[in-house]
């Protein structure tokens, strides 16, 4: 992982997770992080990509992560904790409706982080995260 704590984050649909692993992992050389049968994390040149399965090849509406349905596709940033907390306060103060209120995910597991989901006025899903240990962003 690069030394950059603030990383771009993109979750996108794929038709086959193994195919995505071969392309992004083997062909492009992106180290693979945490995964499941429905998703695969990649260290995309220091940024955080997550490929979510779309069995029928159509764009997903939701994927599964840590037992929760998440909108796919979505994008955002992995921020340091102080910037994440300031953004959460700013969004709350502005009266933004959250798809997922700021909360802890992967509690007690490697990769534990806080997250929040919201939609912009055009309906684009956004996620902002802050890992307890940024070095665990891409752990398998």
């Amino acid at each position: 992982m690069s030394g950059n704590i603030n990383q771009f984050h993109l979750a996108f649909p794929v038709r086959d997770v193994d195919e995505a692993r071969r392309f992004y992992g083997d062909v492009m050389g992106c180290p693979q992080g945490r995964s499941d049968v429905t998703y695969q994390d990649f260290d995309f040149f220091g940024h955080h990509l997550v490929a979510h399965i779309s069995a029928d090849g159509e764009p997903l509406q939701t994927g599964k992560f840590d037992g929760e349905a998440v909108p796919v596709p979505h994008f955002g940033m992995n921020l340091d904790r102080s910037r994440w907390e300031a953004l959460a306060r700013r969004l709350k103060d502005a009266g933004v409706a959250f798809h997922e209120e700021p909360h802890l995910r992967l509690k007690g597991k490697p990769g534990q982080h806080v997250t929040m989901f919201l939609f912009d006025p055009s309906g684009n899903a956004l996620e902002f995260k802050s890992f307890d240990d940024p070095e665990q962003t891409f752990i398998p």
Side-chain angles (χ1 to χ4, degrees), residues 42-139:
F42 296 98
D43 179 342
F44 189 72
F45 306 95
H47 295 278
H48 187 197
L49 290 188
V50 186
H52 286 268
I53 188 69
S54 172
D56 59 6
E58 295 298 316
L60 293 176
Q61 297 301 312
T62 59
K64 284 284 194 186
F65 183 75
D66 195 32
E68 295 183 49
V70 297
V72 176
H74 67 260
F75 67 96
M77 290 291 293
N78 297 345
L79 300 169
D80 65 61
R81 190 59 52 94
S82 64
R83 290 183 76 186
W84 185 88
E85 289 173 351
L87 179 60
R89 279 191 306 276
R90 181 183 181 101
L91 293 167
K92 284 181 179 184
D93 289 349
V96 169
F98 288 93
H99 175 73
E100 283 186 26
E101 291 280 336
H103 68 285
L104 183 64
R105 183 166 277 154
L106 296 176
K107 184 176 182 175
K109 298 177 184 175
Q112 179 174 296
H113 60 280
V114 290
T115 185
M116 59 183 145
F117 274 94
L118 56 134
F119 291 92
D120 74 10
S122 295
N124 297 298
L126 303 172
E127 179 184 25
F128 296 94
K129 304 179 185 189
S130 179
F131 285 86
D132 289 5
D133 178 357
E135 293 298 319
Q136 292 186 355
T137 301
F138 302 110
I139 59 160

